[in-house]
Amino acid sequence: RYHCRPKQSLRSVMQNQIFTYVLLAGLAIALLWVIVTDLKSRTISNRLTMTVALGAPLYWLSIGLPLWPGIAFQLGLAATVFAVCCVLFAIRQMGGGDVKLLTALSLWIPPSQFTFLLVAMAMLGWVLTMAVGAWRVAHSNAFKTRPARDSTLLVLGTLIAALFASAVLGGPTLPVPQGLIDTTSSSPLAAIAVILAPFVILLVVTLGSIRIIRRHERDLWVPSGPAISLAGIWIVASGQLLAAHP
């Protein structure tokens, strides 16, 4: 009799873990679909954002999030995000669908991870803007332009931006040559130059890319919805979401 309860408890824990993974997989699928629909039609379905929002209480239940302070903090974070995003919407810096999507996603992301979500949104949004710009420039019919050359330059810029974003967000990085490491360790000026070099390159790449895109199109489209979705997927796939709820 006394050995049955631990087995049932272990089974219950396993079932909750499976349910949690199912919910996270569902969240990732919903965010992927947001990316597809937003890139295709520049709209985010209210059904998708509602699905993301309604899935959050089930996630709280599966991880055993307490009413206080856990759930209360999540609701407070969502309310704060919604209020700030409404201001951005009022000054035409954010779309209505983006406001609802980020608010719904904030119900899942713990406050300790929300700053990282914003950083990931900025970095991935930057990469997406350049990638979409490269695709649109390649299909441009603007007068006195060179779409093939400009799109090639934008693809190279996108790759540089993606490498930088991956390094900042903890993803794969390029190895640093040992000779360069030895040089920076022996020369402070070399160390400063190595630190500043990526930022200088990124500034040149970004300004040059914006100039190329504006040469072909008057408006620079920033895909905020896909950026929000990719940032959420990044946090889920990296395991940081579960790590924040031990």
Side-chain angles (χ1 to χ4, degrees), residues 54-98:
L54 293 179
L58 297 177
Y59 175 68
W60 301 340
L61 181 64
S62 72
I63 62 175
L65 193 65
L67 182 62
W68 179 265
I71 295 177
F73 278 17
Q74 289 295 153
L75 294 175
L77 175 63
T80 302
V81 170
F82 181 72
V84 173
C85 289
C86 282
V87 174
L88 295 175
F89 174 75
I91 60 177
R92 298 183 179 181
Q93 296 300 312
M94 199 170 189
D98 302 330

Side-chain angles (χ1 to χ4, degrees), residues 6 9-10 17 24 29 50 55 58 76 82 97 107 120-121 140 142 146 155 170 176-177 181 209 217 222 232:
S9 177
L10 179 60
Q17 287 181 344
L24 291 176
I29 292 171
M50 185 63 68
L58 297 177
F82 181 72
L107 293 170
M121 281 170 47
S140 172
R146 299 179 180 178
V155 168
V176 180
I181 296 176
S209 299
E217 296 192 3
V222 179

Side-chain angles (χ1 to χ4, degrees), residues 145-190:
T145 58
R146 299 179 180 178
R149 183 203 62 182
D150 290 345
S151 60
T152 300
L153 291 174
L154 286 173
V155 168
L156 292 175
T158 302
L159 292 176
I160 295 173
L163 287 173
F164 185 80
S166 179
V168 170
L169 299 178
T173 58
L174 293 177
V176 180
Q178 186 61 41
L180 185 60
I181 296 176
D182 295 337
T183 302
T184 56
S185 61
S186 61
S187 173
L189 291 177

